[in-house]
Amino acid sequence: MKNNLLFDFTVDKKTSTVFVNREFDADQPMVWDAFTKQEILDQWWAPQPWKSRTKYMNFEEGGRRFYAMVSPEGEEHWSIQDFTSISPKDNFQFKDAFADKDENINEQMPSANWNLDFSETDGITTVKISIKHAKLEDLEMHIQMGFKEGFTATLDHLAKLLKS
């Protein structure tokens, strides 16, 4: 077991991209499943004490995940992930967007293209994530909304879940 697992969060304003590299003490198929199976995603894809609740998910190219982040008081913030490319166990890509409860995209909020690469060495799985925004203003809005803190807490929660 490795004690100091990699976690790196970098913002590149020139390309309007966030880069997140994170190691998990688990094998690649287990980490892949955590990112791609609805029943596992809903256990961790929200910063505590918020919960993720998926209305539906079709994990296939051209498919969609439609889900809400739900506060302890029941406040819902809906989002969409449209899957654009899937190479099982190694990579998947999606475009995300904020939406309302009826699945209408909120054009006033930032959206981004996500790319996730998975690799394993000696039982440690590395997930390299790039999150590309269309323009710097969208990236800055996302960061101001607490993305770094929320996503860091969310990935920490996943790390604990994978250990149990």
Side-chain angles (χ1 to χ4, degrees), residues 15 34 39 52 56-57 65 68 71 79 86 101 110 113 123 129 134 139 146-147 151 153 162 164:
T15 63
E39 61 276 9
S52 172
Y56 73 86
M57 180 171 171
R65 177 179 182 222
S71 76
S79 293
I86 298 171
K101 65 180 177 49
N113 292 307
I129 305 169
L139 167 67
F147 177 73
F151 198 51
L162 289 167
S164 61

Side-chain angles (χ1 to χ4, degrees), residues 58-72:
N58 301 319
F59 187 69
E60 60 189 29
E61 287 185 16
R64 172 176 278 187
R65 177 179 182 222
F66 180 50
Y67 69 100
M69 298 277 197
V70 184
S71 76

Side-chain angles (χ1 to χ4, degrees), residues 112-143:
N113 292 307
W114 289 56
N115 182 74
L116 295 89
D117 287 308
F118 298 76
S119 61
E120 180 183 346
T121 304
D122 299 327
I124 302 294
T125 299
T126 302
V127 183
K128 292 183 176 184
I129 305 169
S130 64
I131 307 161
K132 171 91 171 118
H133 292 82
K135 56 188 190 266
L136 181 58
E137 295 78 24
D138 288 352
L139 167 67
E140 289 175 337
M141 183 190 297
H142 215 182
I143 297 296

Side-chain angles (χ1 to χ4, degrees), residues 82-102:
D82 285 328
F83 302 108
T84 56
S85 174
I86 298 171
S87 298
K89 307 278 191 246
D90 295 321
N91 173 277
F92 72 96
Q93 299 169 25
F94 63 86
K95 180 172 181 160
D96 77 349
F98 291 94
D100 64 16
K101 65 180 177 49
D102 298 316

Side-chain angles (χ1 to χ4, degrees), residues 6-65:
L6 170 74
F7 177 68
D8 181 49
F9 189 105
T10 306
V11 175
D12 182 343
K13 290 188 174 188
K14 285 184 183 137
T15 63
S16 303
T17 306
V18 173
F19 296 96
V20 179
N21 295 324
R22 176 70 191 249
E23 287 180 337
F24 296 97
D25 189 6
D27 67 11
Q28 188 167 336
M30 184 183 294
V31 177
W32 174 265
D33 286 352
F35 276 85
T36 61
K37 292 192 173 175
Q38 172 182 332
E39 61 276 9
I40 305 172
L41 267 169
D42 280 345
Q43 294 178 50
W44 69 271
W45 187 264
Q48 300 289 309
W50 290 66
K51 300 288 182 207
S52 172
R53 188 180 72 233
T54 300
K55 188 167 184 179
Y56 73 86
M57 180 171 171
N58 301 319
F59 187 69
E60 60 189 29
E61 287 185 16
R64 172 176 278 187
R65 177 179 182 222

